[in-house]
Amino acid sequence: MRRLAPVAVTGAGCLCSAGHTLDACMDALFAGRRRCGPPTTFAVESPRPHPVFEVADGFWRPERFPLETASRTVQLTLTAAREALADAGVGAPVLEARRVGVCIGTNVAGAVGGRHPETAGPGDDIPYVTAADRFAAVNPTAALVRNHRLRGPIQTVVTACSAGGDAIGLGAAWIRAGLCDLVIAGGADELYERAYTGFISLMNYDDAPCRPFDARRKGLNLGEGAGILILESDEMRKDRGKAARGVILGYGAAGDAYHLTRPDPEGRGLARSVREALDASGLSPADLAFINAHGTGTPDNDRIESRLFHETFPGIPFCSTKGYTGHTLGAAGAVEAAFTLACLERGRLPASMGYGEPDPDLPAIPTDRNTPVTGRFALSQTLAFGGNNAALILGLPGEAEEPAP
Amino acid sequence: MRATVAGIGLVGGFGAGPDDLARAMAQGPPPPSTVVLRTTAGEIEVPGRLADTALLADFADQRALRRLDHHTRMALLSCLLSLSDAGCGLRPPEETGIVLATGYGATCNTFDVQGLCVDADIRTFSPTQFSNSVHNAPAAHISDFLKIRGPNLTVNHFDLSVPAAAATARLWLAEGRTDRVLVVAVDTFSKLAAFHRHRTLIRQKMPEGPAAPAPIGEGAVCFLLTGGGAGSRALVEISAAVSGNAAAPAPGTESTVYILGADGLSSGESKYRDWVPPGAPAVVYTDLYGNLPIGTAFDAAAALVTLKEGKLFPSAGGGRCPHPPVQAEEPLAGRTLQCVKVGAAGGHGTVTVAPPRSSGAN
C-alpha cells in the first residue's frame, strides 16, 4: 500500500447513549458515566432482559429539518450530520453549490426495525409499500441527499460492525480522487429487536453491562447512534478560509477469510488492515498517541486486539469506549472515529468503562483511568461480522491544513 | 483510473455463463418459472426468472457448501465462473479484493420478513439464519472459500448498488490497494416485489405478456477487475459513476449505445426519455434476467457479450425503451455501451463498457 495524501476533516458530529452531541459524549466519557438498561424501544419477553445503550429521548427535533421521517436511523443520521456541518461552517448555499458526496455505513438501515412507519407485524394485512419506497424511507444516505439536495457521489456501506470506518475511508478516497469537494461520511444504526435477539442466540451477549478486556467479560451489549465526519478537499477548504479540525491519514481494510461470526484467532486480517493504514499514512506504530480499540467485550475479539497491541504497539495506550456506548454496529467505526479526534484534541484518553480485572490471557491491558496522551496521531479500528477489519489513522492538523492567509 | 474486466461469471433466469446470456440475447429468454406465493388472501402464482446453482457441484462438494444459502450460492458461483473465465483457477492471490453489491440484502428478509411472511417470528430465527441475514455474509463466505484476505466491502444502495460497487473497485485499483477485485452483484427473488408486480397488473388490468413489466428475477454476476497492466487479460474496460441527484448522468458520445435498466415497474422510468439523446441507439434487456435491483450488473454483462460478439442484439424489454429501440441485430462497429439506471429512490448510476485500449496506456 503506497502513501496517500491526507484528507482534511473540517467537522464532526456524534450522538449515542453517552450524549446528543460530541462534546456531551466526551463529557460523559471523562466523567465515567454510562447509561444502559433494558430495551424500551421494543418489547422483550425475557424475565432478565440483557442491557442495551439507547439514545436518550429528545434528540430528534423535526422542526430543524426539511425532510419528514419516522425512521429512527434517519433521525440519528440527520442529527449527527447537522452538528457536523455546523461544526464545519457549511450551510445550505455551499451544499447546493458544490459537489457533495454522501457515504454512510449502516447495518440494515433500520429496514427491519420494529418501528418502521409502514411495518406490518405478524397477522396484519399485507403491506403495500414497495421495496424502493421502504429503502427511500429508511436509508440514511438517501435521506441526507434529499434533506440537503446534494449532487455528488453516494454509497451505503453495509459491512456490519466496520461499516462506519469503511465509509469514512471510502469518503476520503473520493476526495483524493477529485470526485467531489466535500463528503458527509460516517455511520448510523438504531437498536432493533432482530439484532438483539440474534446476538443473544449466538451466545456472545453479556447479560450485564459489558466489560471490554476484563477477565470477567462475557460478550457485547448493543447500542445505537450516529457519527459523522465532514471530509473536505484542500481546494474548497482554502477557498472558504477554513482550517481543518483533523485529518484522515490512512485507511486499511482486509478480510479474515476465517468464519462468518468469529474473528481469525491469529488476527491476520486485523494486522493487515492496520499495516495498510500505517503504510498509507507514512507513520510507524511508535508515532501513535493512542489506539481506540474495537473492544466489544467478547472473549475472542478482545484477546485478538490485545495481542496485536502487545506485539505491534508496545507501550501505546488504548481504550475501548464501548463500555459507554454499547456496540453501535454500523455506527461504531464512525462514532469512535469522532471520539478519537476529540481525544487527540483534548490530549487525554478516557478510562475503559467496564474494565477492572486484568485477564492473564491478555498481554496488553487498556486504560483504567483517564490518561494523558501526547502526540498528533491515533488509530481507530473495528472488526466486523464476516471477518471484515477496518483501520483508520486520524490526526490533528499540521501546517498544511491551515488556510491560506 | 483504468479498470479492465479479466473474467466474467453470471447465473440467472437465462442460465449460467456469458454463452447462455448471449443465446438469450439472440433468441429470447426461456419461459419464466412459476412461483407460488402464500399470502393472507390465499395462494397466487407469479412468474419468476430463477437461478439454478447446480453448477457449483463442478467446483465444490456438498460438504463445503452445506451452510451456504441460495443467496450466497449464487454469488459464489458467479465468482468461481469469473475466475475460471479469467484462467485464474480457484486460488486467486490472497490480496484479491471483493466488493459485493446487493439491493435486497443477504436473505431477502430485509424486505420480506415483515411483509408477506405473516407467520414469521424473528424470535425463532436460528443463529445460522441470523448470521446469514447480515448483509456482508456472502462476501464473507466467498473470501473464506477462496482464502482471499484483501479489502472486502459490501454495498447496498438498492438499485444503484452496482455502479457504486464498480466505482469503488476502480478506486481501490487506482490507489494500489489491490491488483484485482472481484466485483460481485447478487439479489434473490423477492416475494414482496413479485406480489407488488402482481397487484400492479391487476390494478392496471394488464395481462401477463410482452407489454407487462419484466418478471421478478434473481441471480448473480461477477466481474474480475484488474488495473489493465501489460500482459494482463482485458476483455473490456469499465468505468462507473453514481449520484444521488436527479440531474441527468453525463451523456455519452455520438458512438454510445445506451442499455437502459427499465423494468416497467420502478418509479422514475420516464427519465430515460429525457436522458437518452433523440435518435441514439438504445436497448432494454431486463426481460432476459428479470426485475431485480442489481439489474445493472446483467446489463453490463450484456454489454460485454455485445462487445465480444461485435454485434448489437435487439432490445428485449417490450415497449420500455423511450425511443424506438434497436429491433434487429446490427454490427457494433466500435461503439461503446453505457448502462444507465434510474434510481427508484432517487439518483442515477451508469456503468460504461468499452473495448480495451492497447496495453501500456493508463
Side-chain angles (χ1 to χ4, degrees):
Chain A
M1 182 71 214
R2 65 172 187 267
R3 185 151 179 196
L4 298 174
V7 172
V9 178
T10 51
C14 175
L15 75 160
C16 59
S17 70
H20 288 172
T21 64
L22 181 54
D23 281 347
C25 292
M26 299 313 295
D27 288 346
L29 266 56
F30 287 115
R33 284 196 306 269
R34 74 164 154 190
R35 224 185 113 260
C36 61
T40 65
T41 53
F42 51 83
V44 176
E45 292 186 353
S46 164
R48 285 191 61 227
H50 292 51
V52 295
F53 288 73
E54 292 177 346
V55 175
D57 287 340
F59 74 89
W60 177 239
R61 306 280 293 278
E63 69 277 8
R64 292 177 171 179
F65 303 94
L67 186 71
E68 291 184 16
T69 179
S71 161
R72 192 170 173 88
T73 297
V74 169
Q75 292 169 357
L76 292 167
T77 306
L78 293 180
T79 303
R82 184 175 188 276
E83 182 192 357
L85 289 166
D87 186 34
V90 172
V94 171
L95 291 174
E96 291 176 19
R98 293 287 204 156
R99 298 172 305 163
V100 177
V102 184
C103 192
I104 302 295
T106 186
N107 213 3
V108 291
V112 291
R115 285 156 295 126
H116 186 282
E118 281 91 24
T119 295
D124 289 350
D125 287 340
I126 298 164
Y128 300 112
V129 177
T130 67
D133 288 341
R134 194 175 300 196
F135 175 85
V138 303
N139 182 270
T141 307
L144 282 166
V145 170
R146 288 202 314 279
N147 191 68
H148 295 291
R149 298 210 289 252
L150 306 174
R151 52 187 183 89
I154 52 172
Q155 189 137 174
T156 304
V157 177
V158 289
T159 46
C161 320
S162 67
D166 285 323
I168 291 170
L170 184 55
W174 291 356
I175 297 288
R176 277 194 294 272
L179 298 179
C180 49
D181 308 308
L182 186 146
V183 180
I184 303 172
D189 256 318
E190 66 187 82
L191 268 169
Y192 56 99
E193 186 183 359
R194 181 191 185 131
Y196 176 82
T197 309
F199 278 106
I200 292 172
S201 75
L202 287 170
M203 295 190 290
N204 60 7
Y205 203 117
D206 202 327
D207 57 3
C210 61
R211 293 165 277 198
F213 299 102
D214 188 276
R216 299 156 294 176
R217 66 191 188 279
K218 289 197 292 185
L220 56 84
N221 300 154
L222 287 179
E224 60 179 2
I228 298 287
L229 299 185
I230 306 301
L231 311 179
E232 194 168 343
S233 70
D234 282 344
E235 179 254 330
M236 175 167 167
R237 193 174 56 72
K238 288 171 184 171
D239 229 13
R240 60 188 196 98
K242 175 68 178 170
R245 182 173 175 174
V247 281
I248 304 294
L249 288 139
Y251 161 63
D256 279 351
Y258 178 74
H259 191 273
L260 185 57
T261 61
R262 295 196 305 272
D264 176 7
E266 301 301 315
R268 285 171 290 186
L270 177 62
R272 182 195 160 109
S273 67
V274 168
R275 187 171 60 245
E276 198 171 280
L278 286 171
D279 288 347
S281 67
L283 297 174
S284 68
D287 292 325
L288 299 184
F290 65 87
I291 302 166
N292 182 300
H294 190 48
T296 54
T298 62
D300 288 341
N301 177 88
D302 295 1
R303 181 184 314 116
I304 289 160
E305 288 193 281
S306 177
R307 287 180 182 168
L308 174 82
F309 299 153
H310 173 71
E311 288 165 9
T312 305
F313 301 99
I316 303 292
F318 69 93
C319 79
S320 169
T321 51
K322 288 189 172 66
Y324 300 98
T325 66
H327 189 350
T328 55
L329 296 180
V335 165
E336 289 158 21
F339 286 173
T340 299
L341 190 58
C343 287
L344 280 170
E345 292 168 335
R346 287 159 174 74
R348 54 185 181 139
L349 204 56
S352 287
M353 172 61 77
Y355 171 77
E357 183 177 322
D359 181 345
D361 195 32
L362 304 191
I365 59 173
T367 55
D368 60 0
R369 66 200 70 193
N370 293 344
T371 302
V373 293
T374 54
R376 282 179 53 214
F377 312 110
L379 164 68
S380 180
Q381 60 188 41
T382 42
L383 294 76
F385 241 43
N388 284 77
N389 301 275
L392 286 171
I393 305 282
L394 296 100
L396 294 178
E399 286 179 5
E401 285 79 39
E402 296 300 318
Chain B
M1 284 191 284
R2 188 177 179 200
T4 61
V5 176
I8 179 173
L10 64 166
V11 60
F14 51 85
D19 290 345
D20 279 359
L21 180 61
R23 191 171 306 114
M25 291 168 74
Q27 301 169 7
S33 305
T34 298
V35 180
V36 176
L37 299 183
R38 188 171 49 85
T39 78
T40 55
E43 286 188 352
I44 59 173
E45 289 185 351
V46 295
R49 296 229 173 265
L50 305 183
D52 183 352
T53 59
L55 266 183
L56 267 176
D58 291 357
F59 298 97
D61 59 37
Q62 281 307 306
R63 193 161 178 279
L65 304 172
R66 70 187 186 284
R67 285 213 171 92
L68 306 188
D69 60 13
H70 181 56
H71 183 76
T72 294
R73 286 176 184 234
M74 289 190 293
L76 178 61
L77 176 57
S78 72
C79 278
L80 296 171
L81 289 173
S82 77
L83 290 169
S84 175
D85 186 45
C88 287
L90 296 189
R91 283 294 175 258
E94 189 180 274
E95 300 78 28
T96 302
I98 299 174
V99 186
L100 188 136
T102 183
Y104 290 135
T107 62
C108 217
N109 286 350
T110 303
F111 295 106
D112 275 359
V113 73
Q114 288 163 327
L116 291 176
C117 303
V118 295
D119 59 354
D121 183 347
I122 60 173
R123 282 161 287 199
T124 62
F125 275 18
S126 72
T128 301
Q129 221 170 355
F130 169 66
S131 305
N132 278 319
S133 76
V134 181
H135 278 19
N136 64 329
H141 283 302
I142 290 167
S143 73
D144 189 17
F145 187 95
L146 296 172
K147 296 304 175 202
I148 54 179
R149 296 187 172 89
N152 190 317
L153 203 75
T154 299
V155 171
N156 181 346
H157 203 82
F158 200 58
D159 49 10
L160 301 182
S161 299
V162 169
T168 295
R170 292 183 75 231
L171 260 182
W172 283 357
L173 293 169
E175 288 194 329
R177 215 168 271 283
T178 182
D179 292 332
R180 61 193 58 73
V181 186
L182 290 162
V183 179
V184 191
V186 59
D187 268 324
T188 310
F189 180 87
S190 166
K191 297 183 289 295
L192 189 60
F195 177 75
H196 283 298
R197 179 182 178 278
H198 173 79
R199 281 183 43 81
T200 300
L201 293 186
I202 291 173
R203 199 166 52 242
Q204 296 180 356
K205 296 185 174 60
M206 184 186 293
E208 292 285 357
I216 302 304
E218 66 176 12
V221 184
C222 179
F223 300 99
L224 176 62
L225 292 199
T226 67
S232 66
R233 183 175 186 238
L235 296 174
V236 295
E237 286 199 7
I238 194 166
S239 62
V242 58
S243 169
N245 190 264
T253 67
E254 284 180 356
S255 60
T256 297
V257 176
Y258 297 89
I259 303 179
L260 308 178
D263 52 49
L265 207 57
S266 302
S267 60
E269 292 198 345
S270 61
K271 290 191 177 73
Y272 290 118
R273 183 174 305 278
D274 302 326
W275 290 355
V276 176
V283 288
V284 171
Y285 291 132
T286 45
D287 277 29
L288 303 182
Y289 54 81
N291 175 336
L292 70 173
I294 57 138
T296 309
F298 286 103
D299 286 338
L304 191 147
V305 166
T306 301
L307 278 165
K308 184 181 168 203
E309 300 288 325
K311 57 187 170 188
L312 191 56
F313 292 91
S315 189
R320 293 194 287 279
C321 239
H323 306 298
V326 172
Q327 292 183 314
E329 276 186 23
E330 60 182 65
L332 183 62
R335 290 176 283 182
T336 61
L337 298 113
Q338 186 178 76
C339 309
V340 184
K341 182 67 185 175
V342 173
H348 61 266
T350 59
V351 176
T352 303
V353 180
R357 278 173 282 166
S358 54
S359 62
N362 272 323

